[in-house]
Amino acid sequence: SLDLQYVGSHTQNLDRSFFNNTPQPGLGAVDPRRPSQRFKSRRIISNDLISNYDAVSIILRKRMRHGLQADAHYTWSKTRDMGTHSNGGGATMNNYDIWADYGPAAWDIPHRFVASYIYDLPFLKRSSQPILKYAAAGWQIGGVTTIQSGSPVNVTLSGDPANIGISNLQRPNLVGAVPALNCQPLANSLELVTCFDSAAFQLPAAFTFGNATRNLLRGPKSVSTDLSLMKNFPIGGGAQFQFRAEIFNAFGNVNYGNPNGVFNSTSFGRISSAGSMRQIQVGGKIFF
């Protein structure tokens, strides 16, 4: 069977940590430039952020036949919001222009393909040797393969270049084309470096916000296959013993984490983390 699906949602009134006594970017000490001199930093939760999600899915299903069952699911999606973890009080770069932060959500994955499959091995199912049939027949192989786009990378600046009293949320200027991911191995190390061309960015003019949009770049894609081998052994009285062996990331794909996105740091564009490598586990259960 073939399914075509569209899913969309619009969410509004999400929480924002709004610092409504923040000065505009400018020269001089922060506190004397605050709109109200009766207070310093004043945090208010304002319910004015939005989030949008649109997705198209193509799903191909094969029911169990000749011992094989499989599902293949591809989704193209777009998730946009104004602040990461907005339900927990997400903050925007400019407290007075929330639309400047409208862009890909931190969990936006444009392309995702998932295939799941089960195959009943046909070996010795009709064997006339009871012991051989008991031990070698009835095994089942299953697996899940997942391939997906990388997650967004927000390019930020450390410190407070705009001089508004809030650090580490501001962004640089984008002065060239949006750089594509192009990592290089670091000699004698498992790390990757220069994943993004730093020449595409520039520090903004003193006491201004940069024009780079939020979550502008994207990290490495992820590919992983998990496999299992299983068999149920009757042990009498309606009880069964299930043996199961599982291999996670069976083909040992290295799924790197996101590059560092702090533009004015020495590690900008460097990847120093990765997901789990191949893992194997064996287990058993008794059903009665």
Side-chain angles (χ1 to χ4, degrees):
S1 64
L2 177 66
D3 289 351
L4 300 178
Q5 299 179 355
Y6 165 77
V7 177
S9 68
H10 171 75
T11 309
Q12 59 189 31
N13 301 328
L14 296 172
D15 295 348
R16 172 170 66 111
S17 289
F18 178 38
F19 294 88
N20 70 344
N21 202 33
T22 300
Q24 295 289 351
L27 178 65
V30 170
D31 289 340
R33 295 185 292 110
R34 294 187 184 276
S36 171
Q37 290 299 298
R38 294 176 180 268
F39 301 93
K40 287 191 175 182
S41 181
R42 186 170 58 192
R43 179 175 183 259
I44 294 175
I45 298 297
S46 178
N47 303 101
D48 55 4
L49 299 187
I50 68 166
S51 175
N52 293 307
Y53 175 76
D54 294 278
V56 176
S57 295
I58 302 173
I59 307 166
L60 184 64
R61 296 186 177 94
K62 181 188 182 303
R63 295 183 179 179
M64 180 66 75
R65 187 181 182 190
H66 302 305
L68 177 65
Q69 176 180 313
D71 288 351
H73 189 144
Y74 167 75
T75 299
W76 171 88
S77 66
K78 183 167 67 173
T79 310
R80 296 292 184 269
D81 63 11
M82 293 173 166
T84 302
H85 304 306
S86 53
N87 281 322
T92 57
M93 177 179 72
N94 184 348
N95 283 282
Y96 306 108
D97 183 10
I98 59 177
W99 284 97
D101 274 34
Y102 184 73
W107 47 86
D108 177 56
I109 303 294
H111 303 282
R112 180 175 169 86
F113 172 81
V114 178
S116 59
Y117 32 88
I118 298 173
Y119 183 54
D120 288 327
L121 297 176
F123 309 131
L124 301 174
K125 279 190 172 182
R126 299 181 180 180
S127 175
S128 59
Q129 300 294 327
I131 296 178
L132 188 61
K133 183 177 180 181
Y134 180 84
W139 289 90
Q140 185 181 80
I141 293 177
V144 177
T145 297
T146 304
I147 305 171
Q148 66 179 37
S149 305
S151 56
V153 177
N154 192 28
V155 182
T156 60
L157 299 171
S158 62
D160 179 19
N163 198 30
I164 61 173
I166 300 174
S167 299
N168 305 324
L169 284 176
Q170 297 158 38
R171 297 186 290 272
N173 282 331
L174 177 67
V175 295
V178 177
L181 187 73
N182 185 26
C183 299
Q184 305 300 319
L186 182 65
N188 302 317
S189 173
L190 296 177
E191 296 185 54
L192 301 178
V193 294
T194 62
C195 291
F196 300 121
D197 182 8
S198 59
F201 299 97
Q202 192 177 76
L203 292 174
F207 314 121
T208 64
F209 292 123
N211 64 13
T213 57
R214 176 173 156 264
N215 285 340
L216 179 66
L217 305 180
R218 195 163 291 275
K221 68 178 181 181
S222 172
V223 179
S224 182
T225 296
D226 300 332
L227 298 175
S228 66
L229 177 66
M230 183 188 73
K231 176 176 169 58
N232 291 326
F233 295 90
I235 55 177
Q240 290 186 327
F241 170 75
Q242 182 185 90
F243 171 83
R244 188 178 186 93
E246 295 173 314
I247 306 177
F248 301 97
N249 193 10
F251 302 110
N253 295 97
V254 180
N255 295 310
Y256 286 101
N258 274 356
N260 183 294
V262 182
F263 174 64
N264 54 346
S265 76
T266 57
S267 57
F268 175 67
R270 174 176 290 195
I271 297 178
S272 55
S273 65
S276 299
M277 296 300 291
R278 184 188 297 112
Q279 297 181 15
I280 300 174
Q281 66 181 30
V282 177
K285 296 180 182 178
I286 295 179
F287 299 93
F288 58 92

